[in-house]
């Protein structure tokens, strides 16, 4: 039995990701120190990009690193949704989201929606230090890139089994 997937190129669209990226930074309370340390370690690279973040996280990063961070609302007050909206508009090029897998969050549906949008719009997403390190050391980090995005409104996969 074989499975064959056919791809129709009309089911995709492409977005140019510029050299100068807009990077969203989010961390739950138990992960904020990890994210701040990561930002400080990579300050020389990150300061040449535009940083945005949820309220408390963005403010702490800006205070500790002296890199400007555009702050949205705090995550539980709608900040995750604001960043998700920016992803859907193509305004976020990279998401660094150190979430806490062991603590239930009151805004879990918002977190899930944000992660779903990062996948939907093919936004590189790091949820831990190792992945963030891989992304920031990639040759693509400081160069342009054209990403392929599935157009779910037009996608009709033909699967033969």
């Amino acid at each position: 039995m074989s499975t064959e997937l056919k791809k129709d190129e009309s089911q995709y669209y492409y977005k140019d990701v510029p050299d100068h990226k807009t990077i969203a930074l989010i961390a739950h309370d138990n992960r904020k120190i990890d994210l701040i340390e990561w930002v400080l370690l990579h300050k020389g690279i990150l300061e040449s990009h535009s940083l945005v973040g949820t309220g408390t996280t963005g403010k702490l990063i800006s205070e500790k690193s002296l890199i400007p961070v555009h702050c949205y609302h705090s995550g539980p007050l709608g900040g995750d949704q604001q960043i998700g909206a920016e992803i859907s508009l193509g305004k976020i090029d990279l998401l660094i989201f150190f979430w806490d897998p062991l603590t239930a969050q009151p805004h879990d549906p918002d977190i899930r929606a944000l992660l779903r949008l990062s996948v939907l719009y093919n936004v590189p997403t790091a949820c831990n230090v190792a992945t963030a390190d891989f992304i920031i050391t990639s040759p693509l980090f400081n160069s342009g890139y054209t990403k392929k995005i599935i157009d779910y409104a037009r996608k009709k996969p033909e699967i033969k089994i």
Side-chain angles (χ1 to χ4, degrees):
M1 192 157 91
S2 71
T3 302
E4 181 182 322
L5 297 178
K6 290 188 178 181
K7 292 184 180 178
D8 176 0
E9 285 301 313
S10 67
Q11 297 174 359
Y12 299 91
Y13 63 95
Y14 299 85
K15 180 186 182 299
D16 289 331
V17 178
D19 297 354
H20 176 88
K21 294 172 179 49
T22 300
I23 303 167
L25 302 169
I26 305 171
H28 289 155
D29 289 345
N30 289 337
R31 301 296 312 282
K32 287 188 192 319
I33 291 171
D34 295 331
L35 183 57
I36 292 166
E37 289 175 350
W38 183 84
V39 167
L40 291 172
L41 181 64
H42 299 288
K43 180 180 177 177
I45 297 169
L46 292 169
E47 61 193 357
S48 65
H49 297 277
S50 296
L51 305 181
V52 301
T54 49
T56 308
T57 303
K59 182 180 178 197
L60 287 170
I61 289 170
S62 186
E63 287 173 356
K64 300 291 184 188
S65 70
L66 303 178
I67 302 172
V69 179
H70 172 79
C71 295
Y72 292 99
H73 294 308
S74 173
L77 299 177
D80 295 328
Q81 290 183 344
Q82 289 176 304
I83 290 177
E86 296 291 281
I87 287 172
S88 74
L89 296 171
K91 295 181 179 180
I92 303 292
D93 302 309
L94 173 63
L95 174 62
I96 307 293
F97 183 7
F98 289 4
W99 58 279
D100 182 353
L102 298 178
T103 304
Q105 302 293 326
H107 60 297
D108 272 338
D110 300 343
I111 295 162
R112 190 171 153 94
L114 173 63
L115 292 171
R116 184 182 70 78
L117 288 169
S118 75
V119 171
L120 184 69
Y121 291 98
N122 201 16
V123 172
T125 302
C127 295
N128 57 49
V129 174
T131 307
D133 285 343
F134 270 82
I135 290 172
I136 203 165
T137 59
S138 166
L140 298 174
F141 191 84
N142 286 310
S143 65
Y145 172 74
T146 301
K147 66 179 179 177
K148 185 177 184 177
I149 302 171
I150 298 170
D151 185 349
Y152 285 96
R154 295 172 59 185
K155 184 169 180 62
K156 293 181 174 101
E158 182 181 324
I159 301 173
K160 292 183 180 180
I161 298 178

